[in-house]
Amino acid sequence: MKLASIAAQIDGQPMFKILEHAQQLEREGHDVIHFELGEPDFETPPHIVDGCIKALHLGNTHYAPASGIYPFKNSVANATERSRGFKPGLDQILVTPGANSVIYLALKCTLDPGDEVLIPDPGFPTYTTAILACSGNPVCVPLSAQSGFCMDACSVRSRVTEKTKAIILNSPSNPTGGLTKREDIQEIYQIAKEYDLLLISDEIYSRMVFDDHEFFSPSMLDNAAERVLVLNGFSKAFAMTGWRLGVAIGPTQLIKKMTLLNSTIVSCVPPFIQAAGIAAIEGPQDVASDMLEQYRQRSKILVEGLNLIPGIRCNMPAGAIYVFANISETGMTSVEFADDLLRSAKIAVTPGIFFGQQGEGYVRFSVVTSLERIQEAINRMRMRFHA
Ligand SMILES: Cc1ncc(COP(=O)(O)O)c(C=O)c1O
């Protein structure tokens, strides 16, 4: 059997390879501290689980409309009005199995072969793979540590060509926790308007912003009606990775086509999963804010601890669940550092190169383990690096 040539470019999510290696060590009896996956360690809050169970008992076990059930889309529209100041029409909303699939659906409905998409580097690896799977070309916009890993409008402008079709923005960002400033987002939006581009705004960490940092969405500039497509999901803020629940909000014409594609591939998102989504949005928000506070504290302790280790430097992230540490002064590449740390200290982290060329010299720590385990990891690293 001969696979399509495009199959050779499909790389998936490389951090799962680190998890496999770490689990192998655990099977051999080692105590591994996990920082490699962006997977919250908290359980899904009970009122969300109850929302789903109630829906199951009520018999909500059949096919649902391909774009999502009315009450859930209504909740999403109201939540958007509360958080972003505009209420999208229900025909601007598509419910998907996770935020990841929104990236693919949007690109598949937008790109012709050879079209270019500007993506952040370092950035979430799915962007590259999804663009390649849609026969497009990813064009990296380098983000620098000096600018807090924000996407800068001048770098975006200089990379637009007649082949450019879309820009992907991710703020707060995976892997850096960086937040792009309102002025830069406004300017990037203007560039998208000038060149008639789609602006895909990955806002999966929008509820996860620390201290007095300000989250800004480009959808506030066009009500997601013209060229901004917001993608959001429940995996991170509500600890719902396994539920596979995501949402796209965008221009009607695009959402309509994405809905048809979604119905072709997955038919619909189960209605009882969407009921859990309603419970998450409409229910008490203190559970999510408690988890956020814990991520903030963990990030702070980890950043302080890492900065005590010779050769490692890092700043406090503005949001999300990641600490992106500069390890270049250790003299190791990011892959060598991650291998060394796993072998010598049984600590699993993700090499920065997995997120793009600009990620070289860094490793990503996901703060998805308890403060005690973070402290234990710092102690192990201090021993390893003689601090
Ligand atoms: C930036 C970003 N976008 C999208 C996703 C996908 O999330 P989901 O679990 O909803 O598919 C992730 C998950 O790690 C992410 O970090």
Side-chain angles (χ1 to χ4, degrees):
M1 184 191 55
K2 198 161 173 268
L3 295 181
S5 43
I6 223 164
Q9 300 186 304
I10 297 176
D11 206 17
Q13 300 204 55
M15 34 289 216
F16 282 95
K17 290 176 198 148
I18 314 259
L19 176 67
E20 265 173 49
H21 191 181
Q23 286 174 333
Q24 176 58 36
L25 288 173
E26 282 171 333
R27 279 193 293 276
E28 289 164 13
H30 296 285
D31 171 32
V32 177
I33 306 182
H34 292 270
F35 291 101
E36 72 277 32
L37 287 191
E39 156 105 74
D41 55 323
F42 300 108
E43 297 302 336
T44 304
H47 70 276
I48 299 178
V49 177
D50 288 345
C52 170
I53 293 173
K54 209 159 139 205
L56 283 167
H57 284 304
L58 285 171
N60 289 325
T61 54
H62 301 272
Y63 285 135
S67 70
I69 58 172
Y70 171 80
F72 181 50
K73 286 170 61 173
N74 206 33
S75 287
V76 169
N78 290 331
T80 306
E81 186 172 30
R82 289 194 295 274
S83 59
R84 290 164 179 75
F86 72 96
K87 187 168 178 173
L90 297 193
D91 55 359
Q92 282 182 269
I93 299 173
L94 167 64
V95 180
T96 61
N100 245 332
S101 56
V102 177
I103 303 165
Y104 177 77
L105 295 173
L107 294 169
K108 196 71 190 164
C109 294
T110 317
L111 300 186
D112 284 316
D115 282 345
E116 294 173 358
V117 182
L118 306 192
I119 54 167
D121 177 359
F124 183 45
T126 291
Y127 304 146
T128 304
T129 307
I131 295 165
L132 293 171
C134 294
S135 308
N137 286 327
V139 174
C140 292
V141 179
L143 313 183
S144 71
Q146 292 83 334
S147 69
F149 294 109
C150 296
M151 215 185 217
D152 141 75
C154 291
S155 309
V156 170
R157 184 178 286 281
S158 66
R159 283 167 179 80
V160 175
T161 71
E162 73 280 3
K163 290 255 180 207
T164 311
K165 265 288 183 63
I167 304 170
I168 301 183
L169 189 69
N170 174 217
S171 171
S173 132
N174 176 6
T176 70
L179 195 69
T180 304
K181 289 188 278 302
R182 175 194 284 255
E183 305 81 66
D184 276 312
I185 292 180
Q186 283 167 333
E187 245 181 285
I188 292 168
Y189 175 81
Q190 286 309 326
I191 296 168
K193 195 166 170 182
E194 202 177 313
Y195 293 95
D196 194 20
L197 310 176
L198 173 68
L199 180 52
I200 301 176
S201 184
D202 183 342
E203 302 181 4
I204 193 156
Y205 300 103
S206 58
R207 288 174 181 258
M208 310 182 81
V209 174
F210 303 142
D211 306 318
D212 46 8
H213 290 284
E214 181 209 32
F215 167 74
F216 184 76
S217 165
S219 65
M220 296 166 177
L221 302 170
D222 79 344
N223 296 355
E226 246 179 72
R227 63 188 63 261
V228 177
L229 179 83
V230 172
L231 71 95
N232 215 329
F234 290 69
S235 292
K236 314 292 171 160
F238 297 104
M240 291 176 70
T241 41
W243 296 73
R244 310 311 306 134
L245 184 59
V247 173
I249 305 172
T252 316
Q253 166 207 21
L254 174 60
I255 290 291
K256 198 168 158 189
K257 289 295 173 192
M258 288 169 62
T259 303
L260 294 174
L261 190 54
N262 195 45
S263 74
T264 306
I265 302 173
V266 294
S267 300
C268 63
V269 172
F272 47 90
I273 300 292
Q274 298 186 55
I278 298 175
I281 298 180
E282 307 289 347
Q285 297 301 303
D286 52 341
V287 210
S289 45
D290 287 352
M291 291 192 276
L292 178 62
E293 175 53 20
Q294 294 200 51
Y295 292 129
R296 193 192 65 80
Q297 279 181 26
R298 292 168 176 186
S299 303
K300 186 168 171 286
I301 298 294
L302 181 60
V303 166
E304 284 169 7
L306 288 174
N307 279 322
L308 295 174
I309 296 167
I312 307 185
R313 281 177 289 121
C314 58
N315 293 322
M316 180 69 189
I321 51 175
Y322 308 108
V323 167
F324 204 51
N326 186 319
I327 48 91
S328 54
E329 283 168 22
T330 62
M332 290 185 257
T333 65
S334 61
V335 169
E336 285 165 355
F337 183 93
D339 281 350
D340 177 284
L341 210 58
L342 189 54
R343 251 185 306 104
S344 65
K346 306 294 175 287
I347 296 172
V349 297
T350 308
I353 191 73
F354 284 13
F355 304 98
Q357 292 301 322
Q358 300 297 318
E360 187 46 64
Y362 290 83
V363 293
R364 187 192 75 172
F365 291 78
S366 301
V367 287
V368 292
T369 187
S370 67
L371 275 178
E372 294 70 39
R373 295 290 278 168
I374 289 175
Q375 202 54 65
E376 162 73 14
I378 292 167
N379 293 342
R380 289 189 196 179
M381 278 187 276
R382 290 183 78 165
M383 292 221 338
R384 160 65 187 89
F385 292 100
H386 315 291

